[in-house]
């Protein structure tokens, strides 16, 4: 399972990302992540960017792009959009970044 990397913001706060639900075969919605603060409380209204590799994979989001942006709900959850036309499960890497104010975190998710 992927782990989050936290980076403190200028206020000393940090975000954490955890992959909560994996549903990544081509043509299916991507993973759901939970964004929390350092106390484990969910962070709402954080921007979450899901980015597929620029090369080496044929996977794309449903709109044909390599990136999708969404925002966390009150429960801190955000879901990647539908991923299509990708290679076999396990060969798609997905960079996930969460940002709120100056706090941010990122991880590289590689389903197995």
């Amino acid at each position: 399972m992927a782990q989050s990397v936290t980076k403190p913001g200028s206020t000393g706060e940090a975000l954490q990302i955890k992959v909560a639900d994996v549903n990544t075969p081509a043509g299916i919605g991507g993973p759901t992540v939970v964004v929390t603060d350092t106390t484990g409380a969910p962070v709402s209204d954080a921007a979450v960017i899901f980015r597929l590799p620029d090369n080496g994979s044929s996977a794309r989001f449903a709109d044909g792009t390599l990136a999708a942006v969404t925002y966390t709900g009150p429960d801190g959850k955000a879901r990647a959009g539908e991923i299509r036309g990708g290679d076999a499960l396990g060969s798609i890497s997905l960079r996930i970044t969460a940002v709120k104010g100056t706090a941010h975190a990122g991880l590289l998710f590689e389903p197995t």
Side-chain angles (χ1 to χ4, degrees):
M1 185 62 64
Q3 295 180 347
S4 65
V5 176
T6 60
K7 297 183 180 186
S10 61
T11 62
E13 296 178 2
L15 299 178
Q16 299 177 343
I17 302 172
K18 179 181 176 187
V19 176
D21 177 35
V22 179
N23 193 7
T24 57
I28 305 279
T32 297
V33 298
V34 178
V35 179
T36 59
D37 63 18
T38 56
T39 68
V43 176
S44 63
D45 299 319
V48 180
I49 301 97
F50 297 91
R51 175 123 180 108
L52 292 161
D54 289 335
N55 50 46
S57 174
S58 60
R60 298 286 185 272
F61 286 98
D63 64 0
T65 64
L66 294 171
V69 179
T70 189
Y71 291 86
T72 56
D75 57 0
K77 291 183 180 180
R79 185 175 190 105
E82 183 178 346
I83 298 172
R84 294 185 178 171
D87 304 315
L89 181 62
S91 63
I92 300 171
S93 62
L94 188 63
R95 290 194 182 280
I96 305 169
T97 306
V99 178
K100 183 159 185 181
T102 59
H104 60 282
L107 64 85
L108 178 63
F109 175 65
E110 296 176 310
T112 55

